[in-house]
Amino acid sequence: MIVSTMNDIPGYEVTEVIGDVFGLTVMVRSGISSIEAGIKTFLGGEPQGLARELHDFRLQARERLIKAAAAKGANAILAVRYAANDLRDTGTEICAYGTAVKVRPL
């Protein structure tokens, strides 16, 4: 699966637009990363535990995006974007979305 943040892929032609697809996950912060983030708020610096969790959850959303596109018969996803929204005090929603397409080499 080709995944691109661009609207096209150099060297490829879009032969079919399948439609929008997304992958969604909800991150609930672990107690340790929350404590670390709180300490870093006062001392400064990057809360590495929280950064690692955000990275992993973004990858999970991306994998779900790819599975959704493959299930619709796509071999590429264009204009991929990520969005994150707080869910009150329960966690963070992370969404990867884009346009599922079929492409072929030129």
Side-chain angles (χ1 to χ4, degrees), residues 7-8 10 16-17 19 23 26 31 47 52-53 56-57 62 66 70 73 75 82 85 89-90 93 95 99-101:
N7 293 326
D8 56 12
E16 182 181 346
V17 175
V26 176
R52 191 171 28 261
E53 284 183 353
D56 291 347
F57 279 94
R62 184 180 188 274
I66 291 169
N75 65 351
Y82 293 89
N85 299 297
D89 294 330
T90 59
E93 167 200 43
C95 183
T99 302
V101 296

Side-chain angles (χ1 to χ4, degrees), residues 4-10 12 14 77-81 99 101 103:
S4 176
T5 58
M6 300 185 320
N7 293 326
D8 56 12
I9 304 169
Y12 287 82
V14 174
I77 310 167
L78 299 178
V80 172
R81 303 288 184 265
T99 302
V101 296
V103 297

Side-chain angles (χ1 to χ4, degrees), residues 86-105:
D86 282 331
L87 301 174
R88 298 186 185 136
D89 294 330
T90 59
T92 302
E93 167 200 43
I94 300 172
C95 183
Y97 61 96
T99 302
V101 296
K102 289 186 180 180
V103 297
R104 70 171 174 221

Side-chain angles (χ1 to χ4, degrees), residues 5-95:
T5 58
M6 300 185 320
N7 293 326
D8 56 12
I9 304 169
Y12 287 82
E13 170 187 30
V14 174
T15 60
E16 182 181 346
V17 175
I18 296 170
D20 66 310
V21 287
F22 67 92
L24 180 70
T25 188
V26 176
M27 183 187 115
V28 177
R29 292 174 190 91
S30 73
I32 292 173
S33 69
S34 294
I35 292 168
E36 178 192 19
I39 292 170
K40 293 290 183 173
T41 299
F42 292 108
L43 301 177
E46 178 183 348
Q48 292 180 2
L50 182 58
R52 191 171 28 261
E53 284 183 353
L54 285 168
H55 176 265
D56 291 347
F57 279 94
R58 183 173 281 217
L59 288 178
Q60 185 178 72
R62 184 180 188 274
E63 286 302 315
R64 290 179 180 178
L65 168 70
I66 291 169
K67 285 181 183 178
K72 292 185 175 188
N75 65 351
I77 310 167
L78 299 178
V80 172
R81 303 288 184 265
Y82 293 89
N85 299 297
D86 282 331
L87 301 174
R88 298 186 185 136
D89 294 330
T90 59
T92 302
E93 167 200 43
I94 300 172
C95 183

